[in-house]
Every structure is written in C-alpha cells, then in structure tokens.
Amino acid sequence: MNLTIWKKGNVKIKTFLNVSISLIIAGIICFVIISHLIGNISEKVGYVERFDKTENGDFFALFYGKIRHSSGKEDLLFKIKMSRNKIKGLDYFPVRLFAWGKNQVAYCGEDLKELILVDYKTKKEVYRNQMPEMIKYISANKQTGEFVIATEKRLYLLKSEYVPKNKIYTFSLKQVARGSFCLPVLSPNGKYIACGEMDNKENDAATSLVLIDLNKNIKKKLLYERFGDLPINNVYRIIYSIAWSTDSRYIAISTSTPADPSYIWVSVADVLTGNVTEFTKNTGLCSPPVNSFSEDKFIFSQGSPGYKEFGDYSNIRDPFRAKLVLLNIKNGSLEYISEIQKNINTYWPVVGLNGIYFTDKGGYFSSGKGCSIYKLKSKRVLQLFKVRGNLVSYDTIRIH
C-alpha cells in the first residue's frame, strides 16, 4: 500500500518537473523570438548632416542622409551637392528640404525642383519627379506614409502604396491647392493639412495659419497674420513650426513677430471649435520646433543662453538655459522635464516609441558644425552619437 502511494507520488513529481521544464524552455524560446522581433523593429535615427566646401572658388554644400543603428552602424541613403547660390536664403532653415517618412526619406535634387525618395530597407531610390517650380518645403506623415510638398506656387500630396506581388511601391501625386504655403503638415488621421500661407498683399512675409480639409476641398484661416490694428508692415505673424496633436484635433505653432533677437512663443488652435489660445506669457523664449507629445500636450525647448536683450522673464523658469517643457493645452500649465542634467542645453525634441530624443545645439537653425543627439528613457539620459557636420534634419524611424 505504502509502495503504491510512493510510486504515484513519484509520478506526480516527475510530471510536475517535466511540465515546469517545458514551460521554462517555451518561455525562453518566446523571449528570444519576441526580443528578436523587437530588435528588428527598434527605433533608429535618420539624420542629414551638412558640410560646407570650397573648391576652385566654387562655394557649395554637401548633404549626407544616413540611418544610425543602435549598434553604431550607419547606412548612407543619399548624398547631394548643392551650390550655395542655389540654396541662398535656405541656410536659416535647411530642414525644409528633407522629410523622414514611414518607409522612405524624401529630399530635393540639386536644382531644388526634383523630388526624390529613397527606401529605408533597400537603400535604393524608389521615386523621382521633376516639379514645375522650386520646392520650398517637404513634410512626412509617418502614420499614413504620405508626403506633403509645397512649391513656390502649389501644394501637393504624395501617396504611396506597397504592391506585395511585385515588391514595389506605387506613387500618386495630387495637387491640393494653389498659393504660397510654408511648413505644411498632414494630420495623423490624414484628413487635413495645416500650413502657413503668405498671401497678404501689404506684406508677403506675413504668415497666417490655414487648415485645408482634403475631403471637402475647403481652406479655412485659423490664425491671422495681422495682430489687432497694428500696421502689418511693422508687426506681423511669423510661423517657425507646426505640429498636430496625436488625435488630430489641435494644431500647435511656434510663432513670433519681427524682433532681433526673436521672442518666440507657442499658440494652439482647436480644429473643432476654431478657438485659438496664444500662450505668450508662459511659453516665451520657445526654440523651434514645437512637437506633439499626446492628445493634450505639446513638447518644446524653452530658454536661450545669453538672451538678455529685452523682455520680462518673470514667467519663465531658467530663461537663460535651454530645457525641455511640456505644455498642457487644456489649462496652460507647464511641466519641466527635470531628469536632464542642467549642464546640457536641450533643443529640438522628437518623441519616439519609448523615449524622447533631443540635441544639444539649436533646433532647426544652423548652429555651427557638430552636435550630439541624446535620448531620455526611463529617467536616464543617453548620449547616442555625435554628428560631425551641421545637423539640418533628424527623426526616428522604424524598419520592419
């Protein structure tokens, strides 16, 4: 009797051990597979660096478009040489010529009229088209895979579709509107384009914020280029960046009036109600761009070292240090990201899949050669890599 009970107990123990070992092995296999899959779709950094060169009296700029992997490996996607005469006037805002999309990076050809797309995976050119006028701005929607292009006279939407059978992308280019537009950004849901427009007859530098409904083919002005009754030749709106909230309801811009140096703040427009809030007092000294963080928050860099020429800074924390700030658009409150060391000036925030990326030199604008790209993840700041040339464009990408 006791022997039988012992044998049954022994069988149960062996069964338990076998099942446990099998589950552990299965868990390890699943972990390896999941880790492999995550590793394959982990975020990478796409960036464009610029080097200015002179040869035989010819002054030109070289642009290199690269993908930086977490291992430190880099893929060169394109190299473009542009004469300084061609890009004269674009030195202050060269990011406009490049856009990092869902599957491709878009950039301009040497004459600034050709639109070219290179695939992340194959590192090969997949689209090239000669536009009727000079390209002024390109932007990308990483949710839909579409690109918006503003030329000197028109606004276009470029759609792509992958054909699995032929393993290629097909593209269709559609004219959306006529006019002089800047900083066009497609909403996350793909229904609207928000952009600046310069159509004021008294001052062609003045910029309004317009919303284009792609389904209804309607253009609506959300923010005027004129401030009250002030003369528009002296006081007018300038827009430096445009961003959508993740739910496609709110549009945030970094904006200012003419000043030297510029006093830039954040304004937010509600697409549903048309209401606009100018967060002038608490978001002043914004360093463009402003970017989306969530449905009701936008992120930007605030403060400017050495900026002491004029203004009341009583509403600004650490005005002479550049730091990352979240703006809650529902109540106007600011949340300062305190995990970043104070000895690092932070600019140009990009919200990634599992962290916030930023640079240590000034945003969209030319800031001299060399800077570093950092990542804030789980309250830790990681210096990812140094850019040797002048950083003119960067974003996170995922290659599936």
Side-chain angles (χ1 to χ4, degrees), residues 195-226:
C195 55
E197 183 176 28
M198 279 96 59
D199 67 344
N200 188 280
K201 293 179 181 179
E202 299 174 67
N203 189 339
D204 58 7
T207 315
S208 60
L209 176 67
V210 297
L211 178 73
I212 298 174
D213 189 319
L214 296 174
N215 294 328
K216 299 179 180 179
N217 196 27
I218 296 173
K219 183 178 70 175
K220 179 182 179 182
K221 188 170 288 192
L222 296 178
L223 258 171
Y224 285 84
E225 61 271 46
R226 185 186 294 273

Side-chain angles (χ1 to χ4, degrees), residues 85-103:
N85 291 329
K86 284 283 186 184
I87 58 174
K88 191 175 181 180
L90 298 182
D91 291 353
Y92 193 55
F93 202 53
V95 70
R96 68 171 76 177
L97 304 178
F98 310 95
W100 299 91
K102 182 179 181 181
N103 300 299

Side-chain angles (χ1 to χ4, degrees), residues 50-63 81-91 96-97 109-113 134-135 152:
R50 168 180 170 167
F51 295 91
D52 291 328
K53 302 285 185 180
T54 304
E55 287 182 5
N56 301 322
D58 181 22
F59 198 37
F60 60 90
L62 290 175
F63 296 89
K81 177 182 177 181
M82 293 186 187
S83 167
R84 286 297 297 273
N85 291 329
K86 284 283 186 184
I87 58 174
K88 191 175 181 180
L90 298 182
D91 291 353
R96 68 171 76 177
L97 304 178
E110 291 182 23
D111 61 357
L112 299 183
K113 288 185 177 181
M134 188 180 82
I135 297 169
E152 291 174 299

Side-chain angles (χ1 to χ4, degrees), residues 340-353:
I340 302 172
Q341 299 94 310
K342 285 194 173 185
N343 63 336
I344 301 176
N345 282 310
T346 57
Y347 303 89
W348 204 344
V350 170
V351 179
L353 184 66

Side-chain angles (χ1 to χ4, degrees), residues 378-397:
S378 303
K379 298 185 178 182
R380 290 183 60 229
V381 175
L382 305 173
Q383 183 177 2
L384 299 181
F385 62 98
K386 288 186 176 181
V387 178
R388 294 184 300 113
N390 185 35
L391 180 69
V392 296
S393 171
Y394 92 105
D395 208 339
T396 60
I397 60 174

Side-chain angles (χ1 to χ4, degrees), residues 80-303:
I80 189 80
K81 177 182 177 181
M82 293 186 187
S83 167
R84 286 297 297 273
N85 291 329
K86 284 283 186 184
I87 58 174
K88 191 175 181 180
L90 298 182
D91 291 353
Y92 193 55
F93 202 53
V95 70
R96 68 171 76 177
L97 304 178
F98 310 95
W100 299 91
K102 182 179 181 181
N103 300 299
Q104 303 97 14
V105 59
Y107 68 100
C108 293
E110 291 182 23
D111 61 357
L112 299 183
K113 288 185 177 181
E114 266 193 320
L115 177 66
I116 306 166
L117 269 64
V118 175
D119 183 79
Y120 296 144
K121 212 169 187 179
T122 63
K123 298 185 281 294
K124 293 181 180 179
E125 183 183 307
V126 292
Y127 181 81
R128 182 183 287 259
N129 187 34
Q130 187 80 12
M131 306 301 286
E133 308 95 24
M134 188 180 82
I135 297 169
K136 293 172 61 182
Y137 295 88
I138 311 172
S139 72
N141 185 311
K142 290 194 287 186
Q143 286 78 27
T144 66
E146 297 166 279
F147 293 89
V148 185
I149 303 98
T151 66
E152 291 174 299
K153 298 179 181 179
R154 298 172 179 85
L155 189 66
Y156 296 89
L157 185 64
L158 179 65
K159 295 186 177 183
S160 66
E161 183 180 352
Y162 185 68
V163 184
K165 183 179 179 181
N166 301 326
K167 296 183 179 180
I168 61 170
Y169 285 94
T170 59
F171 298 90
S172 60
L173 185 69
K174 177 185 177 182
Q175 181 177 309
V176 174
R178 292 184 66 90
S180 181
F181 300 99
C182 65
L183 303 161
V185 184
L186 183 66
S187 61
N189 60 16
K191 294 182 179 180
Y192 309 98
I193 295 176
C195 55
E197 183 176 28
M198 279 96 59
D199 67 344
N200 188 280
K201 293 179 181 179
E202 299 174 67
N203 189 339
D204 58 7
T207 315
S208 60
L209 176 67
V210 297
L211 178 73
I212 298 174
D213 189 319
L214 296 174
N215 294 328
K216 299 179 180 179
N217 196 27
I218 296 173
K219 183 178 70 175
K220 179 182 179 182
K221 188 170 288 192
L222 296 178
L223 258 171
Y224 285 84
E225 61 271 46
R226 185 186 294 273
F227 284 91
D229 297 325
L230 296 169
I232 199 165
N233 287 329
N234 298 317
V235 181
Y236 53 91
R237 185 179 299 280
I238 302 170
I239 297 177
Y240 296 96
S241 70
I242 298 175
W244 283 91
S245 61
T246 55
D247 61 356
S248 300
R249 176 168 177 177
Y250 298 98
I251 303 166
I253 65 171
S254 53
T255 184
S256 78
T257 59
D260 188 15
S262 296
Y263 186 87
I264 305 173
W265 67 89
V266 178
S267 300
V268 177
D270 186 333
V271 172
L272 292 184
T273 65
N275 293 334
V276 175
T277 306
E278 303 265 17
F279 295 99
T280 313
K281 291 184 178 179
N282 59 341
T283 66
L285 293 185
C286 165
S287 177
V290 59
N291 275 317
S292 174
F293 185 80
S294 64
E295 290 185 1
D296 56 3
K297 290 182 181 180
F298 287 90
I299 187 170
F300 67 98
S301 173
Q302 184 186 55

